[in-house]
C-alpha cells in the first residue's frame, strides 16, 4: 500500500549520527553518503536554530517548508531526533512522528540485541513502521 | 489472581544479557550470537503480534490512564521472574555486595532504555525543576510500570534531595530475606532504573535505599539526590 505522501524518514541519535533512514517512493532518492550528510546537516542546523531563536527555551526547528517538500522534525527529551520529508501540505505529520517514537521505544529499545546509539536493524520495527506510514493509517491520525 | 502489572520482562532480560555478557564476552562465538539474534526475533514476533491502536493524544496523561491502556502481565509471573533473577545472581556471584552492584547495573541498563518509552507514552513535557521530576516519577512512572503509586517526602531546603516512599511493592510479594542475605538490597534494580532514566534526561543522581520492608521497616523509602544537572551539549564554547 502506498505511503502517505512521505518521501523519507530519518532518525538521528543524540550525537548527530544517522541511525535509521528509509525512503518511500522514488522522489528525492539519495545515496548513503547523501543521507548521512543530510542527517548531520540537519542536526547542526537544529542546534543553531535553538541558539538563534528569539523565543526563550526554544527546542529547535519543528517544521521547514520549501517549495518542493515539507520537513517535520520531532526531538525527544533524550535527544533523539525523528524527521520526515513529505509532500508540501501533508497533514498529521506531528502525530505520525509521535507514533514512530512509540514504535522506536517498543521495537528498537526493547530489543535486547539493539545497542544504544547504533544503527537500527530491527525487522519488527521495519514491519510496524511500514504499517504506520500507510496512507489510510495516517489519515486516521487526524481524528 | 491478584493484581496485574506491566511487564518489563523483556527489558529485564535485556539487562541481564548485556550485563552478563560483559563478564563473559570471550565465551560467545559469533555463531552463537547470530543464533541468539534469530531466536530473539522469533520470540519477539510472538510477543508483539497485537496491533497498535492509533490514537491522537493531547497533553500529559495520568499514570492510571497509561496503565489502563498498555499491555500488562500477571503480577505473580513478574514477581517470580524477578525472584529467579536475584536468586541466580546470588548463586553466580556469591557475595551479597556484588549482587547489589549487579542489580543496580541491570536497573541502570533498563532505565536508559525505559525513559524513552515513558516519555513517548506519558506525553509529559520538560519538568521545570527537580521537585516536579520527583513527583512525575512517583505518580506517573511507578504507576505506569509497576501499577503502584509512590509519594514524595522529606525534601531538603534547596530542593535537590527527597525521598520516594513506596507502601506497596509488587517485587517483594512472597519474599523473606534469609539470615545469609541480610546485606541484600533486594529491590536494588529500582534504584538503578531511576538513576539510568534520569541520566538520559541530563540529571546525575544518586539513589539509595533508606528503608526496606524486607529489613523490618514499615515502608520502602528511596532517597533520590540530585548531584548535578548536566547542561545540554549546546552551545559549545568557541574559545576552548
Amino acid at each position: 500500500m502506498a505511503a502517505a505522501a512521505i518521501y523519507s524518514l530519518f532518525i538521528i541519535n543524540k550525537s548527530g549520527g544517522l541511525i535509521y533512514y528509509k525512503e518511500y517512493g522514488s522522489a528525492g532518492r539519495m545515496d548513503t553518503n547523501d543521507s548521512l550528510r543530510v542527517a548531520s546537516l540537519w542536526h547542526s542546523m537544529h542546534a543553531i536554530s535553538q541558539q538563534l531563536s528569539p523565543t526563550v527555551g526554544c527546542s529547535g526547528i519543528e517544521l521547514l517548508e520549501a517549495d518542493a517538500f515539507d520537513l517535520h522534525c520531532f526531538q525527544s527529551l533524550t535527544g533523539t531526533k525523528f524527521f520526515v520529508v513529505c509532500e508540501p501540505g501533508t497533514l498529521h505529520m506531528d502525530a505520525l512522528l509521535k507514533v514512530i517514537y512509540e514504535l522506536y521505544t517498543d521495537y528498537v529499545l526493547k530489543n535486547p540485541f539493539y545497542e544504544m546509539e547504533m544503527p537500527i536493524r530491527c525487522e519488527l520495527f521495519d514491519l510496524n513502521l511500514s504499517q504506520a506510514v500507510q496512507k489510510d493509517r495516517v489519515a486516521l491520525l487526524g481524528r | 489472581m491478584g493484581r496485574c502489572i506491566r511487564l518489563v520482562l523483556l527489558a529485564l532480560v535485556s539487562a541481564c544479557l548485556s550485563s552478563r555478557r560483559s563478564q563473559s564476552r570471550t565465551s560467545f562465538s559469533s555463531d552463537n550470537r547470530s543464533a541468539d539474534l534469530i531466536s530473539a526475533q522469533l520470540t519477539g514476533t510472538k510477543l508483539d503480534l497485537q496491533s497498535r491502536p492509533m490514537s491522537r493524544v493531547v497533553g500529559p496523561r495520568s499514570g492510571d490512564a497509561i496503565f489502563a491502556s498498555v499491555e500488562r502481565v500477571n503480577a505473580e509471573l513478574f514477581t517470580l521472574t524477578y525472584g529467579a533473577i536475584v536468586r541466580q545472581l546470588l548463586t553466580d556471584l556469591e557475595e551479597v555486595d556484588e549482587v547489589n552492584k549487579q542489580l543496580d547495573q541491570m536497573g541502570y541498563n533498563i532505565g536508559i532504555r525505559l525513559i524513552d518509552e515513558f516519555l513517548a507514552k506519558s506525553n509529559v513535557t520538560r519538568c521545570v525543576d527537580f521537585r516536579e521530576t520527583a513527583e512525575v516519577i512517583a505518580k506517573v512512572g511507578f504507576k505506569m510500570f509497576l501499577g503502584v503509586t509512590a509519594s514524595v517526602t522529606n525534601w531538603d531546603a534547596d530542593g535537590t534531595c527527597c525521598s520516594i516512599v513506596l507502601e506497596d511493592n509488587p517485587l517483594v510479594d512472597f519474599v523473606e530475606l534469609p539470615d545469609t542475605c541480610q546485606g541484600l538490597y533486594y529491590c536494588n534494580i529500582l534504584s538503578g532504573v531511576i538513576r539510568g532514566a534520569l541520566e538520559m534526561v541530563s540529571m546525575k543522581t544518586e539513589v539509595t535505599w533508606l528503608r526496606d520492608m524486607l529489613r523490618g521497616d514499615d515502608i520502602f523509602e528511596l532517597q533520590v539526590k540530585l548531584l548535578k544537572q548536566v547542561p545540554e551539549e549546546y552551545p559549545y564554547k568557541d574559545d576552548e
Side-chain angles (χ1 to χ4, degrees):
Chain A
M1 204 173 291
I6 297 164
Y7 299 146
S8 50
L9 162 74
F10 292 74
I11 304 178
I12 323 182
N13 68 15
K14 64 176 68 133
S15 33
L18 182 65
I19 54 171
Y20 192 81
Y21 171 64
K22 178 102 183 148
E23 263 170 11
Y24 301 95
S26 54
R29 177 155 286 174
M30 274 185 282
D31 63 24
T32 319
N33 280 334
D34 283 339
S35 58
L36 286 169
R37 211 168 288 136
V38 169
S40 48
L41 253 176
W42 182 256
H43 180 73
S44 335
M45 288 214 344
H46 194 270
I48 294 169
S49 75
Q50 267 169 311
Q51 284 182 265
L52 290 181
S53 168
T55 357
V56 186
C58 169
S59 56
I61 313 178
E62 286 171 3
L63 169 62
L64 175 85
E65 288 178 294
D67 289 339
F69 65 89
D70 281 1
L71 190 159
H72 294 259
C73 178
F74 166 75
Q75 182 175 27
S76 74
L77 286 179
T78 50
T80 313
K81 276 191 271 295
F82 300 77
F83 67 93
V84 287
V85 182
C86 58
E87 217 170 80
T90 315
L91 295 173
H92 317 314
M93 285 300 111
D94 48 343
L96 176 70
L97 285 168
K98 286 289 291 182
V99 171
I100 296 175
Y101 183 34
E102 283 188 34
L103 292 177
Y104 167 77
T105 62
D106 278 347
Y107 298 107
V108 178
L109 293 181
K110 282 188 204 166
N111 179 348
F113 296 97
Y114 172 72
E115 290 191 34
M116 298 283 286
E117 315 290 324
M118 298 304 278
I120 299 167
R121 286 193 196 87
C122 305
E123 261 177 55
L124 278 173
F125 180 63
D126 288 332
L127 198 77
N128 284 279
L129 185 66
S130 62
Q131 282 173 5
V133 298
Q134 277 168 16
K135 213 177 230 161
D136 48 346
R137 284 284 199 126
V138 173
L140 280 178
L141 291 175
R143 290 216 189 132
Chain B
M1 187 121 1
R3 72 200 137 180
C4 280
I5 48 170
R6 187 71 219 295
L7 178 67
V8 274
L9 254 186
L10 257 183
L12 274 174
V13 172
S14 137
C16 298
L17 282 168
S18 44
S19 54
R20 312 297 295 149
R21 212 155 26 142
S22 60
Q23 289 181 339
S24 57
R25 191 166 286 259
T26 46
S27 67
F28 272 77
S29 76
S30 57
D31 286 337
N32 274 341
R33 278 205 180 186
S34 51
D36 283 344
L37 277 172
I38 294 162
S39 67
Q41 273 161 356
L42 286 175
T43 49
T45 326
K46 258 184 255 157
L47 287 172
D48 299 317
L49 271 177
Q50 259 199 344
S51 75
R52 165 172 314 270
M54 291 262 200
S55 59
R56 191 178 173 85
V57 190
V58 188
R61 302 166 72 195
S62 75
D64 292 292
I66 308 164
F67 185 65
S69 68
V70 290
E71 266 180 85
R72 275 158 286 163
V73 70
N74 182 278
E76 282 184 25
L77 171 69
F78 175 77
T79 307
L80 295 175
T81 309
Y82 183 69
I85 291 174
V86 176
R87 197 70 188 76
Q88 188 63 43
L89 284 176
L90 279 166
T91 313
D92 288 355
L93 300 170
E94 289 164 6
E95 304 261 334
V96 168
D97 287 341
E98 283 303 312
V99 176
N100 287 339
K101 247 188 255 171
Q102 193 65 35
L103 283 174
D104 182 74
Q105 182 59 41
M106 285 164 60
Y108 177 84
N109 291 343
I110 295 176
I112 58 176
R113 291 168 179 243
L114 178 125
I115 178 74
D116 269 306
E117 179 179 14
F118 173 72
L119 294 170
K121 296 193 177 153
S122 68
N123 274 358
V124 297
T125 43
R126 193 178 289 272
C127 294
V128 283
D129 55 12
F130 189 57
R131 278 174 190 272
E132 193 187 342
T133 310
E135 284 294 330
V136 168
I137 294 173
K139 299 277 150 31
V140 188
F142 271 93
K143 183 76 203 177
M144 175 172 167
F145 290 107
L146 286 179
V148 294
T149 323
S151 51
V152 185
T153 50
N154 295 344
W155 279 102
D156 67 346
D158 45 350
T160 57
C161 183
C162 67
S163 287
I164 294 180
V165 173
L166 273 173
E167 279 168 27
D168 186 14
N169 183 350
L171 284 181
V172 299
D173 274 351
F174 318 109
V175 182
E176 293 167 37
L177 279 192
D179 291 340
T180 48
C181 301
Q182 285 306 312
L184 180 69
Y185 287 103
Y186 186 81
C187 300
N188 222 21
I189 202 158
L190 294 182
S191 53
V193 170
I194 296 178
R195 183 169 66 88
L198 287 179
E199 192 169 305
M200 296 310 276
V201 284
S202 51
M203 275 173 267
K204 282 251 186 242
T205 48
E206 193 180 85
V207 187
T208 42
W209 289 100
L210 291 188
R211 280 192 276 178
D212 189 331
M213 278 160 94
L214 294 180
R215 296 172 167 217
D217 297 313
D218 47 348
I219 46 162
F220 283 94
E221 181 174 351
L222 259 177
Q223 188 185 58
V224 184
K225 192 184 206 172
L226 179 68
L227 298 179
K228 67 174 177 183
Q229 203 122 17
V230 188
E232 310 264 317
E233 282 158 272
Y234 313 108
Y236 293 121
K237 282 187 184 134
D238 294 328
D239 47 330
E240 275 175 16

